[in-house]
Amino acid sequence: MEKQSIILPEKGKQNILITSALPYVNNVPHLGNIIGSVLSADVFSRYNKARNRPTLFVCGTDEYGTATETKALEEKITPQELCDKYHTLHAEVYEWFEIDFDIFGRTTTTQQTEIAQDIFTKLDKNGYLIEKTTTQPYCESHHSFLADRFVEGQCPRCQYEDARGDQCDRCGNLLDPFDLINPKCKIDGATPVPRDTKHIHLLLDKLQLAVEAWSSKSSEEGAWSKNGRIITESWLKEGLKDRGITRDLKWGTPVPLPGYENKVLYVWFDACIGYVSITANYTEEWEKWWRDPENVKLYQFMGKDNVPFHTVVFPSSQIGTGDKWTMLNHLSTTEYLNYENGKFSKSRGVGVFGNNAKDTGIPPDVWRYFLLENRPETGDSQFEWKYFIAANNDKLLPNLGNFVNRLIKFTNSQYDSIIPDYSTKFADPGFDAFKTDINTLLKEYTDLMEAVKLRDGLNKAMAISARGNVFLTHAHLDNKLKASDPEQAAAVVGLGLNLIYLLASVFYPYIPATSKSILEQLNARFLPIPDHWQANDLKPSHKIGKATYLFSNIKKEKEEEWRALFGGTQAERLKKEEEAAKAAAKKAAKKAKKSEKKGEKKGEGVEKGDAAAQELGVGKDSVEAVTDGVEQVTLPTS
């Protein structure tokens, strides 16, 4: 599809504003992060654009906060340099996965400062902010206040050992760092001590009634995901409490109050404002998207751990300003994608991270297909290598790949790539059931996509393709049919090629490179997703391109190879490989020595020993040589 220069809402049209959760800048996203927000949002964005709706897809890196300061210290660079480095890395990962943002921005901008400070100032003016002296964890080891998430310990509610001071990843409850059992500083392991400091708090309790009324209406009208509704209702039922929105840091949005020159806005307060400021970096007319609730629908995509910030905190801030805002319409949240019956771990390097996926040599569309087919919409799902391989070999190849290839090949060979005149039998009643089936499936597909049921939408697209395979089989399309009933054969070819044209559109949101390949093979422009399939968009006499394979078979033995490769940290993987290499070298050296002794008895030991050494790579530097080889093939640290 062709890109517009600047996308703005249009009166009288269905205007769609889409955001995916801003990834934190200081790490590499893994597959769970990708399916949880950016890939899901990308599918919905592509779908709406394929329906010719003004659609803006906004994302970017969340760059402020303690985590950035700390990581910058570790890498001995400035926070800005760190953000520049990781923003580029994130952008490269998403570009490889073909995530088609309209803007992939960042929160370290002038627009972010201006908009966040404007919201803060209006909340203060309207009586929703208050100064409080609070007790915060302080690390006496490196002389700094600690952000809540940099205190770790045991969760007092579910006893999870690695809970953070702001939230437990296992039970999802928000925590205070001093609630933790055996709290430790994440940076150096010291036990933090309580120390007083002044901060500004947002009076969420004063906004509760307004937020309840809004969320009740929005969750019903916008059909929020079930887990999103449950999490939000749980927060509201427990009762909102004031929460600090400033921190003792240098790296962040400055607090626009006298006496707060050495403090910044807390990242969970201003991160969601990043959606607005990134849009403002995209266009000076950003308010047409963010201040027009009558004409713009906002769809937000995220993992379930981000829900409260999007359904309580940010809406409270919007309501509290008294300004007119485009507010959340549909909330699409996912559960967790786990890795081989365990969890992805950034710290331990377990699982496939964004910058590793391309090193497998498997195209992005296969990754996209598998992740979307297993999107954790209603419960946790698993990434397992055997199912990943099966998704390609047993689903994409024999279904979509087979249907497209067999028919385009047939047209190339039997009609010299020219679509035959299929008009004579196009309206034959014998084809009515086929056309009806396709239109029924198309209606089900669009209904699912409108409801943001992305996994089911993909399955429905596969069902449309499968119906095409059945059509060709039942029609007995071959050389004999062309010879005995050329008009019937022409009608089958014409209908089949037009179905392939439709498939290029319905699969476009999911596997865009495959869609592009189909269009090239058809020698046709992109067809917007229709409400009703007419089956005659490709006309007789149209010359199509040459058939090429959409997918390639993945060897079964790759399963164990990849499982071993992505089963632990880079250091652990390298250690295992080095140990294996050393063991192999030791065994080879032993064998060579044995051969040498044997050769001495026969007077030919040197030649055989050297020959063995050359063949097996054995010699005085054999271990180092094998180790060097391991280092060359090992994937970069994720």
Side-chain angles (χ1 to χ4, degrees):
M1 288 186 68
E2 294 178 8
K3 277 224 169 200
Q4 292 177 247
S5 50
I6 293 293
I7 303 166
L8 292 172
E10 298 176 35
K11 294 290 183 185
K13 288 194 176 182
Q14 201 171 337
N15 299 296
I16 307 294
L17 176 59
I18 298 170
T19 71
S20 58
L22 305 182
Y24 203 67
V25 75
N26 72 336
N27 227 319
V28 183
H30 60 65
L31 298 182
N33 304 135
I34 290 166
I35 186 59
S37 55
V38 294
L39 178 54
S40 297
D42 180 62
V43 171
F44 192 64
S45 172
R46 287 176 182 273
Y47 167 75
N48 280 282
K49 288 174 180 176
R51 299 281 277 169
N52 283 333
R53 295 168 183 162
T55 302
L56 186 68
F57 179 19
V58 174
C59 190
T61 41
D62 180 8
E63 301 189 353
Y64 283 136
T66 305
T68 303
E69 281 191 2
T70 307
K71 187 78 170 176
L73 285 171
E74 286 175 16
E75 297 197 13
K76 297 179 181 177
I77 55 179
T78 66
Q80 187 63 62
E81 288 170 335
L82 183 100
C83 291
D84 292 345
K85 170 186 170 181
Y86 279 95
H87 174 81
T88 300
L89 190 152
H90 274 266
E92 288 172 351
V93 167
Y94 302 137
E95 182 179 2
W96 186 82
F97 275 95
E98 299 206 35
I99 309 298
D100 194 23
F101 304 111
D102 292 301
I103 178 171
F104 184 69
R106 48 205 310 189
T107 55
T108 50
T109 64
T110 301
Q111 287 87 343
Q112 173 74 10
T113 300
E114 290 173 352
I115 294 170
Q117 287 184 343
D118 180 64
I119 290 172
F120 180 95
T121 301
K122 286 173 178 173
L123 287 169
D124 189 27
K125 179 184 174 184
N126 294 339
Y128 294 115
L129 302 183
I130 189 172
E131 183 180 77
K132 283 191 172 184
T133 299
T134 60
T135 303
Q136 282 188 232
Y138 185 85
C139 181
E140 294 179 317
S141 176
H142 71 277
H143 309 292
S144 177
F145 282 100
L146 296 174
D148 294 349
R149 67 197 302 268
F150 273 78
V151 182
E152 296 182 338
Q154 187 181 93
C155 175
R157 300 199 183 192
C158 72
Q159 281 67 58
Y160 179 54
E161 292 291 343
D162 295 321
R164 300 193 313 263
D166 60 345
Q167 189 174 26
C168 175
D169 283 340
R170 175 179 286 173
C171 66
N173 281 295
L174 292 185
L175 300 170
D176 184 280
F178 295 113
D179 291 338
L180 294 174
I181 301 165
N182 298 321
K184 299 290 180 187
C185 170
K186 183 179 178 180
I187 300 165
D188 53 30
T191 301
V193 297
R195 183 170 288 192
D196 287 349
T197 181
K198 287 184 178 180
H199 282 292
I200 300 299
H201 282 229
L202 173 61
L203 298 173
L204 292 173
D205 48 335
K206 285 183 70 174
L207 289 157
Q208 172 145 356
L209 290 177
V211 172
E212 280 180 336
W214 164 78
S215 68
S216 176
K217 184 171 183 283
S218 178
S219 62
E220 185 67 30
E221 291 180 355
W224 293 7
S225 298
K226 184 179 178 181
N227 54 3
R229 290 198 304 270
I230 291 171
I231 292 167
T232 305
E233 288 165 5
S234 173
W235 260 57
L236 294 171
K237 186 177 180 181
E238 192 173 317
L240 300 183
K241 302 173 182 65
D242 63 87
R243 288 184 71 85
I245 60 170
T246 58
R247 281 293 180 267
D248 294 286
L249 295 172
K250 296 176 182 176
W251 186 244
T253 303
V255 181
L257 286 177
Y260 279 76
E261 291 78 10
N262 295 319
K263 300 177 192 284
V264 299
L265 296 179
Y266 192 16
V267 69
W268 68 253
F269 170 75
D270 76 340
C272 287
I273 298 170
Y275 300 128
V276 185
S277 71
I278 290 169
T279 309
N281 274 276
Y282 171 74
T283 173
E284 292 180 355
E285 298 180 272
W286 63 270
E287 290 181 312
K288 289 186 176 180
W289 282 109
W290 284 99
R291 296 198 185 278
D292 191 2
E294 293 83 12
N295 292 298
V296 176
K297 296 292 184 187
L298 172 60
Y299 290 75
Q300 298 195 287
F301 292 78
M302 69 205 70
K304 64 180 179 182
D305 51 336
N306 275 317
V307 167
F309 308 110
H310 292 76
T311 64
V312 176
V313 178
F314 185 46
S316 294
S317 301
Q318 290 177 302
I319 292 168
T321 63
D323 291 337
K324 187 178 184 180
W325 284 99
T326 300
M327 297 180 69
L328 172 64
N329 170 61
H330 178 84
L331 175 72
S332 183
T333 55
T334 57
E335 301 288 328
Y336 296 127
L337 176 72
N338 296 317
Y339 178 79
E340 291 281 348
N341 298 306
K343 286 189 178 293
F344 285 87
S345 171
K346 288 181 180 178
S347 60
R348 296 192 299 276
V350 175
V352 182
F353 287 73
N355 58 339
N356 299 142
K358 65 181 177 182
D359 296 323
T360 62
I362 304 303
D365 271 11
V366 177
W367 289 96
R368 287 175 64 108
Y369 174 81
F370 178 81
L371 291 172
L372 290 157
E373 184 195 33
N374 292 277
R375 185 174 186 255
E377 293 182 2
T378 54
D380 291 356
S381 62
Q382 290 286 337
F383 179 92
E384 294 188 53
W385 286 108
K386 62 180 176 182
Y387 296 125
F388 173 75
I389 293 170
N392 179 79
N393 293 355
D394 303 340
K395 295 179 181 179
L396 286 172
L397 258 172
N399 185 342
L400 179 62
N402 177 62
F403 175 54
V404 172
N405 190 255
R406 69 195 282 203
L407 188 52
I408 292 181
K409 246 184 182 177
F410 186 83
T411 309
N412 290 158
S413 64
Q414 298 302 312
Y415 295 97
D416 195 26
S417 303
I418 305 293
I419 299 179
D421 184 1
Y422 56 80
S423 59
T424 306
K425 285 198 173 182
F426 178 78
D428 192 298
F431 296 124
D432 288 349
F434 171 63
K435 294 174 184 174
T436 299
D437 286 351
I438 295 301
N439 275 301
T440 298
L441 290 168
L442 177 61
K443 175 67 166 58
E444 291 169 354
Y445 166 86
T446 54
D447 285 348
L448 289 166
M449 297 300 282
E450 296 294 331
V452 202
K453 304 292 184 184
L454 305 182
R455 186 179 62 199
D456 291 341
L458 177 57
N459 291 334
K460 199 60 65 175
M462 290 292 279
I464 297 172
S465 175
R467 183 64 181 88
N469 273 309
V470 171
F471 171 68
L472 291 188
T473 302
H474 287 177
H476 303 291
L477 180 65
D478 56 18
N479 298 351
K480 289 180 183 177
L481 181 67
K482 187 193 174 202
S484 63
D485 193 344
E487 291 180 346
Q488 178 75 2
V492 172
V493 169
L495 284 165
L497 288 173
N498 272 287
L499 180 57
I500 291 174
Y501 197 16
L502 175 67
L503 288 171
S505 301
V506 298
F507 275 105
Y508 166 74
Y510 295 99
I511 43 178
T514 302
S515 172
K516 182 181 178 184
S517 177
I518 293 171
L519 291 175
E520 287 171 353
Q521 292 178 59
L522 292 176
N523 187 30
R525 294 170 64 88
F526 183 82
L527 175 73
I529 297 172
D531 289 320
H532 185 82
W533 181 56
Q534 301 291 340
N536 61 357
D537 292 287
L538 291 177
K539 306 298 182 185
S541 301
H542 173 76
K543 187 176 180 66
I544 68 170
K546 294 298 179 184
T548 56
Y549 292 112
L550 295 176
F551 310 103
S552 300
N553 192 66
I554 301 173
K555 293 178 180 178
K556 300 286 186 185
E557 50 265 33
K558 285 291 183 182
E559 179 186 338
E560 288 306 320
E561 178 187 324
W562 288 332
R563 185 179 290 112
L565 192 60
F566 298 104
T569 62
Q570 178 67 19
E572 288 170 348
R573 289 197 289 268
L574 183 57
K575 187 179 177 184
K576 284 178 187 175
E577 289 164 355
E578 286 179 347
E579 286 172 355
K582 286 177 182 179
K586 192 174 179 182
K587 188 177 179 182
K590 195 174 179 182
K591 190 175 179 181
K593 198 171 181 183
K594 208 172 181 182
S595 298
E596 190 179 337
K597 283 182 180 178
K598 222 174 180 183
E600 282 173 2
K601 290 180 183 178
K602 295 182 179 181
E604 56 185 30
V606 174
E607 289 181 13
K608 285 203 172 181
D610 286 348
Q614 287 169 16
E615 185 180 342
L616 297 168
V618 176
K620 63 177 183 178
D621 295 322
S622 60
V623 172
E624 290 83 354
V626 176
T627 300
D628 287 345
V630 169
E631 288 175 346
Q632 288 169 23
V633 299
T634 302
L635 296 176
T637 304
S638 55

